[in-house]
Structure formats: structure tokens, C-alpha cells
Amino acid sequence: QRASADEIKRMRSAYELAAEAHREQKRKSGEPFIMHPIAVATIVAEELELDDNPIISAFLHDVVEDTDYTVEDIRSRFGDDVAFLVDTVTKRKKDSYEHSKQVDNYRQILESVHYDIRALLIKLADRLHNMRTLSSMRADKQMKIAGETDYFYAPLANRLGMYQIKRELENLSFQYRCPKDYEFISGQMDLYRQENEEKIWEMAHKYIDCLAGYGLKVRAEIRYRTPYSIWRKMQTTGSDFNHIDIKHILRLIYDVDSQENELRREKAMSLQIYSALTDNFKERPGSVVNFIDTPKENGYQSFHVTLLTDRGTWQEVHIS
């Protein structure tokens, strides 16, 4: 709905060119190759919410690398901006590499940030769809691609503040690198949800009702830790699954009604919510972390506190 008629026409034209260029090609799964550019363009449009030129470039991101079309062909039909983005995400074919093919590819991706962050986002969308469809690849290719994703693409998404994509990439990578661990922890987390979700929502509604009494309106969201996150915690603490204390996070989310002095208003609102909650629920000593004044390296901002539940367990609450 946010694209004009002319932009939609250009996107349709990009799809038609990609469909023509890839018409004889198939993916390892056996499906037509064009399904991959369509999926990447959909991620760019819907999950990353970018505009027409990155979407067009996502449709065309493999055309120069895998077909006879050139960057100049792209430029003549879609202009300099799309040609630049497609050229930036196209792997360079060389007779020899300065370090290795993979390292040179990483360097090319990272160097693109000096020119345009959109190229990085298209590469992340490309990798995300490849990981979502990795089951069709040979086991050795799965291990290679999953390892690259954990080493390079998930940390890149994290540094860009794209938490949901980072979490998904990490977890998909873990699924292929450590399938037995992934299956065990996934099963345990399914049981944990079944046994605890109703109780977690009961506490969430108590927090919401408590805050409403102070004139503070929030909505709640439960975020379960991924199998990868649980596994990493098990490795660093030497604990088994049952002794990992925080398996979910409860987010209390409020709206900021003005962009003016937004950071100051966020802090003030978070402190009001924190004060109201700790007037009514016991706080774990030393549990407050203020990521509003001191954001994480990736730009993450929130106010964390751990509260005692009615069942005598600790609940980590993120006020955002």
C-alpha cells in the first residue's frame, strides 16, 4: 500500500526480468529458481520495510551472478541506484583471491556499508531465505552455510540492531550445526511453554492491572528464549536445561506519544512503570539494568528488572 502505481510497475518489471533470466534454472529443492528472488524481495518489502529500489534489487540480486545479463543491462532498465545495489551484492568472480573466496566475499559485503546500508540488508534477506530453505541442501553444504551464518551473518544482523533476524539466523544455524542438541532443547522448551504459559499470562495481567491503577497503559508480550540461546547459556554456565533460570522474558511495552525529547520521555516513562511495579511486587536486589541511558553496542534500549511472582519464582521484565 505504500508504493505508487509507477513503483509497482517498476517492481513488476523487475520480477518479469528475473523470471525470464532464471527461467531454465532450478533450486536444489527442485522448485523454479525464481521462487528465491521472490522470497528475498518479500523479506525486503515486508520484514525490512524498504522501498521500491531495494525491492527491485532483491528481485534481481542473482541475475548478474548467475545469468548472461550484466550490470549495464540493469542500469539501462532500472537506473543507477538499482544497478549500484545489484552490483554491490553480486559476488566478484576472480582468477585468484587475496585471502580466500569466502574472506574476500565478507570484505566486499562489509565494505558496502561505506556506500549504502541497503546493500547489507539485501544480503541479509538473501541469507535469511537460504537458511529457511537449507533442508534441501547436502549435509556438508548445510554445515558450511550454517557455520558461515553463525560466524558472520547473525553477528552482522545484531550489530545492525535487527534482533529478530539475528535470533532466527542463530537458531537456524544451530539447528543444522547441532541437530541433536537443537531437537532436545526444542522439545524441552515446548513442554516448558505448555506448563507455564497460562501462569506467565496471569502475572502479565496482574502487572497490566497494577499499572492501569497508576494511569499507565502497557501491553504485554512473552518472548521465549530460543534453543540456541538456551544452549549457549548451558555452555557458559555448565548447567543442564533444568537449571537455566530465565527461559522466557516478559516485555511490558508502552507508547511514546511524541517524538520530541523521545529519549528523555522513554526514561521517564520507564521509571514511572518501574516505580509502580516495585511498589507492589518484590524486586530482586541488583537486578535493574538501564539500557536506555547506556544502550548496547547494537543500539538496543530497554529497562530491565526482575520481580518475584506469586509462585515464588523470579520473572525478568523488560520495560520498553
Side-chain angles (χ1 to χ4, degrees):
Q1 292 298 319
R2 60 182 193 270
S4 67
D6 182 60
E7 290 168 343
I8 292 172
K9 183 178 179 181
R10 293 179 71 239
M11 286 187 266
R12 183 176 292 116
S13 179
Y15 158 74
E16 290 169 352
L17 174 57
E20 166 64 23
H22 295 300
R23 74 181 184 281
E24 302 295 335
Q25 299 173 347
K26 293 189 179 296
R27 304 196 80 208
K28 295 294 184 182
S29 63
E31 69 180 3
F33 189 88
I34 187 58
M35 301 305 295
H36 172 62
I38 290 172
V40 175
T42 301
I43 293 169
V44 169
E46 295 182 355
E47 298 183 43
L48 303 183
E49 298 184 353
L50 299 181
D51 58 17
D52 58 321
N53 279 355
I55 296 169
I56 290 168
S57 303
F59 276 123
L60 303 172
H61 76 277
D62 279 327
V63 164
V64 174
E65 187 174 330
D66 294 342
T67 77
D68 293 333
Y69 284 91
T70 67
V71 172
E72 292 309 314
D73 294 329
I74 304 296
R75 191 187 314 279
S76 66
R77 292 185 61 166
F78 298 100
D80 290 340
D81 189 45
V82 170
F84 163 75
L85 290 173
V86 172
D87 186 45
T88 302
V89 300
T90 298
K91 292 178 184 176
R92 302 286 184 261
K93 295 177 181 176
K94 303 178 182 178
D95 294 329
S96 62
Y97 295 90
E98 185 176 343
H99 297 284
S100 70
K101 183 177 181 180
Q102 193 58 65
V103 170
D104 282 15
N105 184 39
Y106 290 158
R107 291 183 64 181
Q108 179 188 333
I109 293 169
L110 291 174
E111 285 169 0
S112 71
V113 76
H114 295 301
Y115 306 104
D116 201 317
I117 192 69
R118 296 174 302 166
L120 280 181
L121 300 183
I122 294 167
K123 288 295 291 187
L124 279 174
D126 179 34
R127 177 54 56 128
L128 182 57
H129 183 248
N130 283 334
M131 289 301 297
R132 287 173 176 174
T133 56
L134 195 58
S135 60
S136 62
M137 303 290 284
R138 296 195 320 263
D140 60 320
K141 293 288 285 184
Q142 289 176 351
M143 188 65 71
K144 175 180 180 294
I145 294 169
E148 291 172 0
T149 299
D150 186 60
Y151 174 76
F152 182 79
Y153 289 95
L156 177 61
N158 183 54
R159 288 304 295 264
L160 294 174
M162 303 170 72
Y163 319 120
Q164 198 61 36
I165 290 178
K166 171 244 187 190
R167 281 159 51 93
E168 186 174 353
L169 288 174
E170 284 179 340
N171 212 46
L172 286 167
S173 171
F174 178 54
Q175 180 179 348
Y176 290 98
R177 291 185 298 108
C178 306
K180 290 183 178 179
D181 289 333
Y182 176 86
E183 185 177 356
F184 170 75
I185 297 173
S186 293
Q188 293 296 305
M189 284 302 294
D190 287 342
L191 289 173
Y192 178 81
R193 283 193 196 90
Q194 292 170 21
E195 293 171 358
N196 293 280
E197 185 149 336
E198 186 177 340
K199 299 167 187 173
I200 298 169
W201 276 117
E202 285 177 5
M203 281 307 303
H205 289 305
K206 287 183 179 181
Y207 296 146
I208 291 170
D209 292 343
C210 167
L211 293 171
Y214 290 80
L216 300 168
K217 183 179 178 182
V218 300
R219 63 185 186 276
E221 177 184 283
I222 301 171
R223 176 168 289 178
Y224 292 98
R225 294 181 72 170
T226 63
Y228 174 77
S229 175
I230 295 285
W231 175 83
R232 188 171 58 184
K233 188 73 171 178
M234 290 166 63
Q235 301 304 303
T236 56
T237 62
S239 303
D240 62 16
F241 178 86
N242 292 324
H243 289 88
I244 299 297
D245 56 349
I246 302 294
K247 297 184 178 73
H248 73 274
I249 291 161
L250 184 65
R251 298 183 69 209
L252 298 178
I253 305 165
Y254 58 87
D255 292 323
V256 177
D257 57 9
S258 171
Q259 296 299 311
E260 186 178 355
N261 297 320
E262 184 175 351
L263 184 62
R264 188 180 304 169
R265 293 174 64 82
E266 280 188 36
K267 181 179 179 182
M269 187 70 166
S270 294
L271 287 172
Q272 285 184 61
I273 293 170
Y274 163 75
S275 178
L277 288 173
T278 52
D279 280 347
N280 294 273
F281 302 93
K282 181 175 175 58
E283 170 189 357
R284 190 177 195 170
S287 69
V288 168
V289 184
N290 178 5
F291 286 120
I292 295 176
D293 283 338
T294 54
K296 292 185 179 181
E297 286 183 347
N298 58 16
Y300 172 84
Q301 291 178 290
S302 187
F303 193 95
H304 296 189
V305 63
T306 302
L307 303 174
L308 190 66
T309 70
D310 293 347
R311 293 175 289 128
T313 59
W314 292 110
Q315 167 67 65
E316 186 171 325
V317 176
H318 293 183
I319 304 166
S320 305

